[in-house]
């Protein structure tokens, strides 16, 4: 492992749960923090409720957009059943963040679960400052659901 | 122009370059992973339109380029099969403006019926091909493709793959000189491909390719990373990134223009290292070209030809590891949405024990449980032809069970000619075609088509309906059903049609439930426009 290895995150869930939004927000926040960022995703059939996963990598230099097997620092699962198919991507000492660790009743809306999980992840990523997260959230959501998602993000942060 | 870098996917980067280089028309047919190119181009203010299919899209783009404009045609890999006819002869005619054909391959088949390698088309048709490795290169190479197309008077293929199209990486845009004014300069021997003019055109094509190759040998598109004299890797497209990461101490040569090959550049690179390995996803095309030219290279074992490459696989290729991939717990397969109007149709087809020839779209999911009501699926429009073929040869009792099922967008793309075939060569037992009309190209993300009554950007358009086409062709029984929750007697109609021995079309119509929000938004915008 070279010393400049990027931080590797995999976000996994089912179509419609906000996997793409969650990983887009993460990539955007890292990009705003001045890091080199790449993000890979698979579209298509995934829209119909099937498994979806996104790879987000950031650091000094990122080459492949895909996280090599066994090199994910974080695996974020938005659906408990999606842990098993993605477990192999996680480092032996990698961190699993599962939606089952989240108090869903505390969320302003279950739809904001993906943003809450991002909040949970943010606590582990000191290279990305709070303003970058907030700017990414503000840019991603229209007025109507912005406050709700910021609340969910904060709940996820305190849940970590 | 904003001078700050943006984090965008490869499709968006191509669209940005098209806009920045003054592309005046983008044409295509939706297909994962290429779809977003035209949507983004339109969103940025470019003129973009969905064609009924890729052949028409390429022809319209070619016409624009004959007229001196800069044109872009977009499609997925299998779309290039549909557009292959104009492609091969456009290589002869060349163009006076720019013609770039962005084709997006899908190694690993995230959302496709095969993983054909479009690089074969470049060589087969004699069209130069560029292959970017990330979004910045997608932007830069698109701009370079425009320049090269005008410089050499040839169409250019810009080959993308899923991991280029759908990976976000930073892009820095820049300004380009404005294009020349459009105008058609008649040049009959160059543009009219009768044999007498096509024979010299073929010789011109080979001469032009020789010139492009000379340019490519010293051009800016083949990039060497690292100066190792020990291990050298030759790679194209996304494999460049995997190779650089898997072997950080190796020298990596990116082949940015993979047709015509910069063969002397490859030879010099191979000569400069002790061990040279070709790292390419899909078919062993660079490896074959090197071997054909007597360049000593190693290449990946056959098992790595299947699916996508990644960093782990490149490490294993370099280590000579041919152990099979470890088995993984499967993910959850996709399914037809709850509330999808197609569900009622597949339940009926299953219960009636029909022999279903299917087609390409969401509804191909009718093959999976709980329906398992699809028996063939080959390519866009094949539901019609394959169903007719079965009807012609099966014993009558079996033939009467055959039903062709096709979506509305697929019908517009390639089903109309199949319907003509049905009218012209009717099977003795008749035939039944079901058009699953959900008013959108749902599979690729809700794009418009000639049957929706809206253009790419949602503006109103003339609406072409399948039932009108069927009636115009004299199809005996044409029934249009609103697929509400009860299915409006779809089952009864299906039974009656199957028993009739006539030529029948059932249009099972109900908007895609995923499209309702988008359609409301468009209706609101159009209403504001009218006010």
């Amino acid at each position: 492992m070279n010393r400049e290895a990027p931080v590797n995150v995999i976000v996994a869930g089912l179509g419609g749960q906000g996997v793409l939004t969650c990983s887009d927000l993460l990539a955007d926040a890292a990009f705003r923090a001045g890091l080199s960022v790449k993000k890979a995703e698979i579209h298509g059939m995934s829209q119909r409720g099937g498994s979806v996963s996104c790879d987000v990598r950031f650091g000094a230099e990122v080459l492949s957009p895909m996280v090599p097997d066994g090199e994910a620092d974080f695996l974020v699962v938005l659906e408990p059943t999606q842990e098993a198919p993605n477990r192999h991507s996680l480092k032996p000492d990698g961190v699993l963040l599962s939606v089952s660790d989240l108090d869903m009743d505390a969320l302003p809306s279950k739809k904001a679960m993906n943003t809450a999980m991002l909040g949970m992840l943010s606590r582990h990523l000191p290279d990305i400052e709070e303003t970058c997260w907030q700017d990414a959230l503000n840019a991603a959501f229209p007025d109507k659901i912005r406050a709700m998602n910021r609340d969910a993000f904060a709940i996820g942060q305190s849940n970590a | 122009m904003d001078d700050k870098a943006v984090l965008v996917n490869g499709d968006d980067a191509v669209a940005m370059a098209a806009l920045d280089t003054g592309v005046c028309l983008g044409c295509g047919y939706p297909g994962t992973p290429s779809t977003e190119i035209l949507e983004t181009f339109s969103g940025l203010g470019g003129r973009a339109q969905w064609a009924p299919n890729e052949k028409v899209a390429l022809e319209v783009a070619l016409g624009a380029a004959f007229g001196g404009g800069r044109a872009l045609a977009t499609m997925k890999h299998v779309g290039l099969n549909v557009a292959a006819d104009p492609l091969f002869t456009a290589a002869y005619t060349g163009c006076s403006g720019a013609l770039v054909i962005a084709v997006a391959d899908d190694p690993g088949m995230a959302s496709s019926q095969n993983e054909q390698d479009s690089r074969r088309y470049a060589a087969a048709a004699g069209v130069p091909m560029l292959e970017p490795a990330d979004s910045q290169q997608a932007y830069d190479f698109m701009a370079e493709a425009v320049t090269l197309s005008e410089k050499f008077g040839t169409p250019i293929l810009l080959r993308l793959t899923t991991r280029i199209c759908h990976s976000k990486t930073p892009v820095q845009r820049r300004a380009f000189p404005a294009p020349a004014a459009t105008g058609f300069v008649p040049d009959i021997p160059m543009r009219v491909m009768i044999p007498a003019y096509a024979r010299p055109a073929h010789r011109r094509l080979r001469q032009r390719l020789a010139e492009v190759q000379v340019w490519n040998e010293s051009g800016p598109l083949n990039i060497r990373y690292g100066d190792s004299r020990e291990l050298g890797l030759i790679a194209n497209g996304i494999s460049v990134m995997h190779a650089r990461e898997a072997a950080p101490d190796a020298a990596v040569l990116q082949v940015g223009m993979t047709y015509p090959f910069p063969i002397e550049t490859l030879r010099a690179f191979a000569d400069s290292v002790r061990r040279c390995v070709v790292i390419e996803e899909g078919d062993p095309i660079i490896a074959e070209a090197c071997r054909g030219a007597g360049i000593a290279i190693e290449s990946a074992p056959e098992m790595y030809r299947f699916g996508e490459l990644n960093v782990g696989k490149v490490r294993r290729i370099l280590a000579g590891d041919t152990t099979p991939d470890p088995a993984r717990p499967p993910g959850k397969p996709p399914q037809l949405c709850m509330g999808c109007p197609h569900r009622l149709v597949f339940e009926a087809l299953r219960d009636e024990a029909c022999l279903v020839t299917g087609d390409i779209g969401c509804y191909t999911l009718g093959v999976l449980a709980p329906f398992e009501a699809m028996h063939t699926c080959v390519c866009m429009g094949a539901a019609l032809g394959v169903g007719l073929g079965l009807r012609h040869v099966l014993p009558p009792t079996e033939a009467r069970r055959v039903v062709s099922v096709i979506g509305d967008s697929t019908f517009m793309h390639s089903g109309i000619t199949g319907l003509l075939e049905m009218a012209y060569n009717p099977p003795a037992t008749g035939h039944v075609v079901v058009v699953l009309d959900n008013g959108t190209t749902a599979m690729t993300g809700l794009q418009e088509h000639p049957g929706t009554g809206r253009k790419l950007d949602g503006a109103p358009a003339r609406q072409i309906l399948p039932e009108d086409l069927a009636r115009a062709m004299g199809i005996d029984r044409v029934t249009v059903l609103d697929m509400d929750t009860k299915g409006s007697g779809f089952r009864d109609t299906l039974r009656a049609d199957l028993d009739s021995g006539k030529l029948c079309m059932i249009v099972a119509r109900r908007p895609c439930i995923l499209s309702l929000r988008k359609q409301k938004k468009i209706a609101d915008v159009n209403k504001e426009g009218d006010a």
Side-chain angles (χ1 to χ4, degrees):
Chain A
M1 187 59 50
N2 78 53
R3 64 189 180 282
E4 287 177 3
V7 174
N8 294 324
V9 181
I10 291 185
V11 183
L14 297 178
Q17 284 192 307
V19 172
L20 300 189
T21 306
C22 181
S23 53
D24 273 336
L25 281 164
L26 170 59
D28 187 33
F31 190 58
R32 287 168 190 272
L35 299 163
S36 178
V37 183
K38 290 191 180 181
K39 186 210 144 180
E41 64 194 38
I42 291 286
H43 290 200
M45 280 288 186
S46 58
Q47 289 189 5
R48 308 294 172 262
S51 297
V52 189
S53 70
C54 286
D55 300 13
V56 183
R57 315 185 73 191
F58 50 88
E61 186 186 29
V62 184
L63 293 169
S64 172
M66 295 145 74
V67 175
D69 282 356
E71 294 187 20
D73 300 281
F74 301 95
L75 171 60
V76 181
V77 293
L78 305 190
E79 218 302 317
T81 59
Q82 296 309 295
E83 182 191 331
N86 292 285
R87 187 86 214 187
H88 65 275
S89 60
L90 200 56
K91 275 181 185 166
D93 60 343
V95 176
L96 171 74
L97 298 172
S98 172
V99 68
S100 48
D101 301 330
L102 191 68
D103 178 6
M104 292 290 275
D105 294 333
L107 297 184
S109 159
K110 285 191 171 46
K111 279 190 182 157
M113 174 270 288
N114 56 342
T115 336
M117 290 303 296
L118 190 69
M120 202 190 276
L121 174 68
S122 72
R123 288 279 297 270
H124 297 270
L125 302 173
D127 288 349
I128 304 176
E129 291 167 19
E130 181 65 18
T131 53
C132 301
W133 292 111
Q134 293 301 328
D135 290 347
L137 288 168
N138 287 338
F141 296 109
D143 293 344
K144 227 167 30 180
I145 55 172
R146 185 175 296 136
M148 189 257 286
N149 276 284
R150 288 177 62 155
D151 290 349
F153 183 82
I155 290 165
Q157 274 183 319
S158 59
N159 205 313
Chain B
M1 188 170 303
D2 194 348
D3 58 2
K4 242 176 81 191
V6 287
L7 191 64
V8 295
N9 68 39
D11 282 349
D12 294 338
V14 171
M16 288 172 171
L19 191 81
D20 296 347
T21 56
V23 165
C24 60
L25 183 61
C27 309
Y29 182 80
T32 309
S34 69
T35 311
E36 295 91 329
I37 300 173
L38 287 191
E39 292 184 321
T40 301
F41 185 57
S42 174
L44 291 170
R47 180 172 174 190
Q49 31 192 70
W50 293 129
N53 65 33
E54 296 85 353
K55 176 181 187 290
V56 176
L58 180 51
E59 289 157 351
V60 174
L62 179 62
F66 281 165
R70 292 177 171 173
L72 170 66
T74 71
M75 59 201 66
K76 67 184 294 174
H77 60 332
V78 285
L80 191 54
N81 299 336
V82 179
D85 201 359
L87 176 74
F88 278 65
T89 306
Y92 279 28
T93 62
C95 49
S96 48
L99 176 58
V100 182
I101 303 147
V103 57
D105 287 12
D106 188 12
M109 294 174 276
S111 188
S112 300
Q113 67 270 36
N114 74 27
E115 54 182 344
Q116 68 186 50
D117 192 324
S118 293
R119 293 180 294 163
R120 300 283 191 200
Y121 270 112
V127 175
M129 173 175 272
L130 309 189
E131 292 194 71
D134 62 12
S135 298
Q136 183 65 60
Q137 284 192 348
Y139 181 88
D140 294 338
F141 285 22
M142 172 64 202
E144 188 69 51
V146 168
T147 305
L148 289 173
S149 181
E150 290 181 350
K151 177 182 167 75
F152 290 102
T154 175
I156 302 282
L157 282 159
L158 180 71
R159 178 178 182 254
L160 313 164
T161 58
T162 298
R163 298 299 182 171
I164 302 298
C165 294
H166 289 166
S167 293
K168 287 190 175 183
T169 76
V171 167
Q172 182 76 59
R173 294 169 72 174
R174 56 186 200 275
F176 297 89
T182 56
F184 184 70
V185 182
D187 186 344
I188 288 169
M190 290 281 281
R191 299 283 184 261
V192 182
M193 288 300 105
I194 56 170
Y197 296 149
R199 288 184 198 111
H202 186 199
R203 292 177 190 280
R204 276 198 305 275
L205 167 63
R206 296 299 151 191
Q207 177 60 34
R208 186 203 296 149
L209 289 170
E211 289 163 17
V212 175
Q213 189 194 332
V214 169
W215 178 89
N216 191 25
E217 293 286 2
S218 58
L221 299 177
N222 307 305
I223 306 162
R224 181 178 180 136
Y225 302 92
D227 51 10
S228 170
R229 301 288 147 189
E230 186 58 28
L231 176 61
L233 309 179
I234 297 172
N236 64 312
I238 193 66
S239 307
V240 173
M241 295 299 173
H242 302 328
R244 290 176 63 197
E245 179 163 343
D249 297 327
V252 176
L253 177 67
Q254 173 179 7
V255 190
M257 181 188 272
T258 45
Y259 186 80
F261 276 113
I263 206 74
E264 295 313 316
T265 307
L266 297 179
R267 191 189 310 279
F269 179 79
D271 287 346
S272 77
V273 292
R274 194 185 61 78
R275 179 188 179 205
C276 186
V277 186
V278 174
I279 302 294
E280 61 188 322
E281 207 165 55
D283 292 351
I285 294 172
I286 301 176
E288 285 169 4
C290 287
R291 293 207 173 96
I295 301 171
I297 48 99
E298 294 172 38
S299 59
E302 181 72 1
M303 63 176 279
Y304 294 103
R305 180 183 191 141
F306 306 96
E308 293 186 294
L309 282 187
N310 55 41
V311 173
K313 284 189 185 177
V314 176
R315 288 183 186 135
R316 286 160 60 198
I317 290 168
L318 295 177
D321 181 351
T322 54
T323 51
D325 288 323
R328 308 276 189 220
K332 181 173 178 286
Q335 56 180 348
L336 286 176
C337 301
M338 291 301 152
C340 172
H342 301 340
R343 285 183 158 257
L344 295 164
V345 170
F346 283 109
E347 281 166 10
L349 291 166
R350 175 194 61 200
D351 297 346
E352 298 300 317
C354 292
L355 205 171
V356 178
T357 58
D359 223 300
I360 309 284
C362 297
Y363 51 93
T364 315
L365 294 169
V367 71
L368 301 179
F371 313 106
E372 297 178 75
M374 188 173 293
H375 302 92
T376 70
C377 171
V378 182
C379 66
M380 295 286 283
L384 273 292
V386 172
L388 292 168
L390 281 168
R391 284 257 181 181
H392 288 316
V393 301
L394 291 179
T397 47
E398 246 184 286
R400 283 193 195 93
R401 296 165 48 223
V402 178
V403 177
S404 294
V405 173
I406 186 168
D408 49 329
S409 189
T410 310
F411 178 77
M412 294 297 164
H413 179 287
S414 287
I416 296 170
T417 43
L419 196 66
L420 266 176
E421 166 69 9
M422 178 166 108
Y424 183 50
N425 291 309
T429 58
H431 190 46
V432 178
V433 178
V434 178
V435 179
L436 298 170
D437 187 352
N438 61 2
T440 186
T441 316
M443 183 74 251
T444 48
L446 309 173
Q447 284 72 35
E448 309 298 345
H449 63 72
T452 68
R454 288 178 300 270
K455 292 175 181 286
L456 183 145
D457 63 358
R462 184 186 301 256
Q463 185 175 26
I464 314 298
L465 296 172
E467 61 268 31
D468 291 344
L469 293 173
R471 289 186 190 113
M473 289 185 206
I475 302 305
D476 302 311
R477 294 156 68 100
V478 179
T479 315
V480 180
L481 298 174
D482 172 15
M483 298 303 288
D484 60 13
T485 48
K486 293 187 190 66
S488 297
F490 175 81
R491 249 169 231 263
D492 296 338
T493 306
L494 177 67
R495 278 192 206 122
D497 279 358
L498 286 169
D499 290 344
S500 73
K502 304 273 191 187
L503 297 180
C504 311
M505 175 187 279
I506 308 173
V507 180
R509 181 165 289 146
R510 190 84 181 172
C512 165
I513 56 167
L514 297 177
S515 73
L516 297 177
R517 199 190 308 171
K518 181 183 176 185
Q519 286 180 9
K520 182 175 180 308
K521 205 184 282 179
I522 290 169
D524 291 347
V525 170
N526 287 343
K527 208 184 291 169
E528 273 169 36
D530 292 343

